[in-house]
Amino acid sequence: MLVDSHAHLMFPQFRKDLDDLLARARAAGVGRIVNVGTNLDTSRAAIALAEAEADVFASAGFHPSDSAKADESALKKLPALLKHHRVVAVGETGLDFYRKYAPREVQERAFRAHIRLAREMALPLIMHSRGAETRVLDVLAEEGGSEVGGVMHCFGGNVEGAKRAVDLNFYLGFGGIVTFKNSGALEVALDVPAERLLLETDCPFLAPVPKRGKRNEPAYVRYVAECFADAGWGDTEDVCRQTTQNAQTLFGLTS
Ligand code: NI
């Protein structure tokens, strides 16, 4: 079995063929999907899908790109969503200094609020970080994020950053980028301790080779597993078994 630890199935790219997509994922051996919320609407939609599909789980939170929406009254609505029995994590949250969706202070205020909520609810965190790996880890350390742990999803930092994340009790998620030649991500990923590695798609974005440039979907997480196997990590079944166990440990994905 495989787990797609980071998907966005409520995005409009999937509106027309979600049932077929889930069938393809199951046929590819993807037995669990963490469907990640990015604001109140997508978090609610993720929960609704998780209620309907036993192998799909939800998270709730505000992506850094939506952090301007995460004002006090919006944040007050999150705990009710996070209490839902199909919600397995807080996020995605974090910082994005690359796209500059919102001023740094606004992003950071929302991020800190998410970490506090995760601690209150005893839920792991799902972090987005782009051009901000050091700052994300600094804020996690300051706010006690290690207490609940979580995942640095689509990790784009270097080997040192990955080591620090592991030391702070976090997992590292890797997707299609490890299959892109010269991205450098595979070298970082191969250095991560086996028990801290998660696989993901981040679909509809970042489809792995040989689907690069197409719409991504959970079934393609198998190409990521095969990439690790080809790079000498172990055979594909070892990669699947270990990363599935890791996702179960972190998120507790029991239907
Ligand atoms: Ni995402």
Side-chain angles (χ1 to χ4, degrees), residues 19-221:
D19 288 344
D20 292 344
L21 170 149
L22 289 173
R24 286 193 295 273
R26 288 161 189 152
V30 180
R32 299 279 187 272
I33 298 169
V34 180
N35 192 20
V36 176
T38 54
N39 56 41
L40 287 177
D41 290 341
T42 55
S43 296
R44 286 186 183 120
I47 292 169
L49 186 65
E51 283 174 339
E53 305 290 347
D55 47 2
V56 180
F57 297 78
S59 77
F62 290 86
H63 189 283
S65 66
D66 274 328
S67 52
K69 291 184 192 164
D71 58 18
E72 215 170 310
S73 80
L75 286 169
K76 276 195 186 129
K77 294 182 176 133
L78 268 187
L81 303 185
L82 294 170
K83 275 182 198 136
H84 193 282
H85 68 286
R86 301 288 294 173
V87 170
V88 296
V90 177
E92 68 183 278
T93 180
L95 301 170
D96 194 317
F97 296 161
Y98 181 79
R99 290 196 193 270
K100 303 188 182 77
Y101 297 108
R104 288 186 182 202
E105 319 80 75
V106 173
Q107 292 191 36
E108 199 166 303
R109 199 179 313 131
F111 182 27
R112 287 181 190 274
H114 280 74
I115 301 169
R116 288 173 202 150
L117 269 175
R119 294 181 63 190
E120 272 169 46
M121 319 284 299
L123 283 170
L125 286 149
I126 296 174
M127 259 72 62
H128 169 103
S129 86
R130 190 143 185 227
E133 282 72 23
T134 304
R135 189 63 194 150
V136 164
L137 292 171
D138 287 347
V139 172
L140 283 166
E142 285 171 23
E143 295 287 345
S146 303
E147 186 184 297
V148 288
V151 57
M152 302 285 287
H153 116 81
C154 195
F155 187 68
N158 58 19
V159 167
E160 288 70 39
K163 280 205 175 81
R164 185 170 172 224
V166 168
D167 289 344
L168 285 168
N169 189 33
F170 295 99
Y171 289 73
L172 295 147
F174 294 93
I177 294 175
V178 298
T179 70
F180 301 171
K181 271 206 177 105
N182 306 321
S183 73
L186 185 60
E187 289 68 31
V188 175
L190 290 172
D191 201 62
V192 171
E195 65 281 4
R196 286 287 158 167
L197 187 67
L198 296 183
L199 303 187
E200 62 171 69
T201 58
D202 201 17
C203 64
F205 313 113
L206 296 168
V209 173
K211 303 287 184 182
R212 189 172 183 180
K214 305 230 165 64
R215 183 191 71 170
N216 201 358
E217 60 175 71
Y220 299 169
V221 76

